[in-house]
Amino acid sequence: MELPFAESWKIKMVEPIRKSTREERERWMKEAHYNVFQLKAEQVYIDCITDSGTGAMSDRQWAAMMMGDESYAGASSFFRLKDTITRLTGFTYVIPTHQGRAAENVLFSYLVKAGDIVPGNSHFDTTKGHIESRKAIALDCTIDEAKDTQLEIPFKGNVDPKKLEKALAEHADKIPFIIVTITNNTAGGQPVSMQNLREVRAIADKYNKRVVFDSARFAENAYFIKTREEGYADKTIKEITKEMFSLADGMTMSAKKDGIVNMGGFIATRWEDWYEGAKCYCIPFEGYLTYGGMNGRDMDALAVGLDENTEFDNLETRIKQVEYLAKRLDEFGIPYQRPAGGHAIFVDASKILTHVPKEQFPAQTLTVELYLEAGIRGCEIGYILADRDPVTRENRFGGLDLLRLAIPRRVYTNNHMDVIAVALKNVYDRREQITKGVKIVWEAELMRHFTVQLEPVK
Ligand code: F0G
């Protein structure tokens, strides 16, 4: 008999978690204004709000922390991190930042100005925020197939080369660079193929433009290339990683995802002019160039994390857990963005809460229902997160309305996945009775989802 699959690690330290009663959760949800970001973590049983900064570090990472060099300038921790990044990506210039959006802030301060257009594949909300706050436009060139959640194609995160080429043909003078997010978080943790990265490179070269990868989940992207794209089965994750980045000019990185640290990020590039330009913004915003918002010990933990998470076994364990949850949802017929993504399952709320009008935010309503059902915290990647159109100030209902269940790395077991699946099934079974959603009582102008206050529609 073939041996079953099991995790490529064993557990050395645990953290207790606690269940609550439905009455408690109803009270807490009301106090949180029906916004799960406003809940206290201790009010949550299984936390799938994000896979960002919530992973479990390895014994090697914790050991590396003891070697942290906390010198203000020239810390050896920085050079260990820089050498690892250069070895993995080929980029020789590295600027550490305190997290991914800080890398965006520093690099975009140098590169993006009012009136610019930055084409890409479903820019993440902070990426879009950093572009729009500079009065520039984040132009989404994702393939149309990404919007059909039931369509099963291997690289649903891809850039549509035709849309990209059109943008460049029409607005080349306004485009400072192209940004490709690997994996495409907003489209459902969906990967981008090497073939597509090559096509983007060719278009960029034709118009003499540079390409940035938003690389938060680059290792998961490499895993999907290895397992889904022809010609890559025998390549190592590190070889694939190197090849991916050979097609870019630079990267912004939220190290809180595939770096498996709790806080951290960086910019890396092969171009001296970008480094020189960005470094002027790093110092006032983030700190001196050899720490940029990170402790020495954190840079050491990140160097080890990047190395570990570009090994196949670690990634296989992770992706198989996400697939396991997907299979359980399949058993119950619950629709989600197919195929299962790298870091999360994106449940298609608009196909479940069909009686809740879009103006009452179905995915947010489902997020609230799942929390009330079992204390499971997902988050809305939908109409609230989409913010208002910066020009018309209308809600943007053009995209998908999803409940994201992000799975922290190396944290939960498949028993937890079973609890999530059954809790969602219980909500799914009473979907016909859910006819009213939520309304906005207060919202911020940008990135409103973190602080929005909601009320159930009566
Ligand atoms: N880019 C992508 C693709 C992301 O998913 C994120 C963060 C960022 C950039 C910003 O990085 O949080 O370190 O500042 N995504 C988190 C999430 C918050 O839950 O998906 P950050």
Side-chain angles (χ1 to χ4, degrees):
M1 193 173 169
E2 195 186 338
L3 293 177
F5 180 78
E7 290 79 3
S8 63
W9 35 256
K10 57 183 178 171
I11 296 164
K12 196 176 282 196
M13 192 186 280
V14 295
E15 175 183 345
I17 50 177
R18 187 178 91 76
K19 290 188 200 169
S20 51
T21 64
R22 174 126 195 156
E23 290 76 54
E24 283 175 318
R25 291 194 292 277
E26 278 173 2
R27 179 159 45 85
W28 294 334
M29 194 79 257
K30 192 168 179 219
E31 287 165 4
H33 302 283
Y34 298 88
N35 177 350
V36 291
F37 285 96
Q38 306 291 318
L39 288 168
K40 292 185 177 140
E42 63 185 25
Q43 297 166 340
V44 174
Y45 174 42
I46 302 174
D47 205 350
C48 297
I49 197 167
T50 183
D51 63 319
S52 179
T54 53
M57 293 208 296
S58 69
D59 52 356
R60 288 176 60 224
Q61 285 180 285
W62 281 105
M65 289 189 80
M66 299 306 289
M67 301 302 291
D69 174 358
E70 306 302 341
S71 303
Y72 189 95
S76 47
S77 300
F78 168 76
F79 292 102
R80 283 191 285 270
L81 174 60
K82 178 175 175 286
D83 289 347
T84 303
I85 293 168
T86 304
R87 176 163 49 81
L88 292 173
T89 65
F91 297 144
T92 41
Y93 297 100
V94 173
I95 298 177
T97 60
H98 79 273
Q99 62 183 93
R101 67 201 67 187
E104 293 163 1
N105 189 31
V106 169
L107 187 64
F108 296 2
S109 290
Y110 172 56
L111 292 178
V112 181
K113 51 184 197 318
D116 279 354
I117 298 172
V118 184
N121 55 338
S122 330
H123 311 64
F124 184 66
D125 59 340
T126 60
T127 319
K128 192 167 71 184
H130 277 302
I131 294 169
E132 291 181 348
S133 67
R134 290 177 171 81
K135 308 234 173 312
I137 294 168
L139 182 71
D140 187 7
C141 298
T142 310
I143 53 169
D144 289 336
E145 290 92 326
K147 281 196 179 175
D148 177 356
T149 58
Q150 300 312 293
L151 180 75
E152 197 127 358
I153 54 169
F155 292 101
K156 229 175 172 175
N158 278 358
V159 178
D160 183 333
K162 285 200 203 72
K163 291 185 195 170
L164 181 63
E165 172 105 45
K166 185 168 180 284
L168 280 149
E170 288 171 8
H171 310 289
D173 54 324
K174 291 189 189 147
I175 295 178
F177 59 90
I178 299 160
I179 188 158
V180 185
T181 305
I182 52 172
T183 60
N184 184 328
N185 180 4
T186 314
Q190 297 294 327
V192 179
S193 70
M194 193 72 86
Q195 174 61 26
N196 192 243
L197 295 177
R198 263 188 235 114
E199 285 164 353
V200 170
R201 179 77 261 167
I203 295 169
D205 286 346
K206 182 170 161 195
Y207 292 89
N208 202 17
K209 298 290 171 191
R210 291 185 184 172
V211 179
V212 173
F213 287 172
D214 174 349
S215 312
R217 300 177 182 87
F218 74 93
E220 290 168 6
N221 202 82
Y223 173 91
F224 286 120
I225 288 176
K226 181 177 169 71
T227 54
R228 292 181 184 174
E229 192 163 352
E230 216 188 306
Y232 288 92
D234 296 330
K235 294 213 154 83
T236 64
I237 297 293
K238 286 191 165 62
E239 285 166 345
I240 295 170
T241 297
K242 199 70 174 277
E243 187 176 335
M244 289 190 312
F245 287 110
S246 76
L247 299 165
D249 295 284
M251 65 191 284
T252 51
M253 176 76 187
S254 168
K256 303 168 72 170
K257 285 86 167 170
D258 275 350
I260 324 191
V261 289
N262 303 115
M263 194 56 71
F266 58 86
I267 299 163
T269 177
R270 64 178 84 260
W271 296 106
E272 191 182 357
D273 59 327
W274 273 14
Y275 174 73
E276 291 297 325
K279 94 183 186 191
C280 305
Y281 294 96
C282 178
I283 295 173
F285 291 164
E286 292 295 294
Y288 184 63
L289 297 171
T290 56
Y291 71 86
M294 291 183 78
N295 296 305
R297 56 181 172 270
D298 291 343
M299 290 191 278
D300 271 304
L302 173 55
V304 175
L306 287 169
D307 215 12
E308 274 180 4
N309 204 29
T310 43
E311 289 298 325
F312 182 74
D313 284 359
N314 201 63
L315 287 161
E316 185 185 36
T317 296
R318 162 157 189 73
I319 307 284
K320 283 213 186 295
Q321 181 166 56
V322 179
E323 279 170 5
Y324 176 83
L325 176 58
K327 280 192 201 117
R328 295 297 333 256
L329 298 190
D330 284 342
E331 275 173 48
F332 303 134
I334 299 171
Y336 58 87
Q337 173 69 303
R338 307 184 75 87
H343 65 295
I345 295 293
F346 290 64
V347 180
D348 192 344
S350 60
K351 288 201 162 50
I352 298 174
L353 297 187
T354 50
H355 302 312
V356 176
K358 63 180 188 311
E359 293 78 11
Q360 294 178 19
F361 307 108
Q364 180 64 23
T365 308
L366 189 62
T367 306
V368 170
E369 286 291 339
L370 182 64
Y371 174 75
L372 294 177
E373 177 69 28
I376 296 159
R377 176 160 71 168
C379 82
E380 191 246 33
I381 301 266
Y383 301 144
I384 294 182
L385 179 117
D387 269 335
R388 289 175 190 273
D389 184 285
V391 180
T392 66
R393 303 305 301 155
E394 292 294 322
N395 280 312
R396 292 192 268 211
F397 292 121
L400 295 171
D401 197 36
L402 307 166
L403 154 61
R404 185 182 76 170
L405 297 165
I407 312 300
R409 293 166 182 77
R410 311 191 286 210
V411 170
Y412 292 116
T413 68
N414 285 0
N415 290 327
H416 296 107
M417 299 302 117
D418 287 334
V419 176
I420 297 168
V422 172
L424 199 54
K425 177 200 184 311
N426 291 345
V427 177
Y428 186 66
D429 286 349
R430 55 183 167 77
R431 64 192 181 282
E432 296 294 325
Q433 283 97 60
I434 305 173
T435 55
K436 288 183 178 153
V438 289
K439 64 173 183 223
I440 295 179
V441 184
W442 182 87
E443 66 185 286
E445 205 172 309
L446 259 183
M447 296 189 215
R448 63 182 178 181
H449 62 289
F450 292 119
T451 51
V452 69
Q453 296 186 2
L454 303 157
E455 254 175 26
V457 174
K458 297 253 164 33

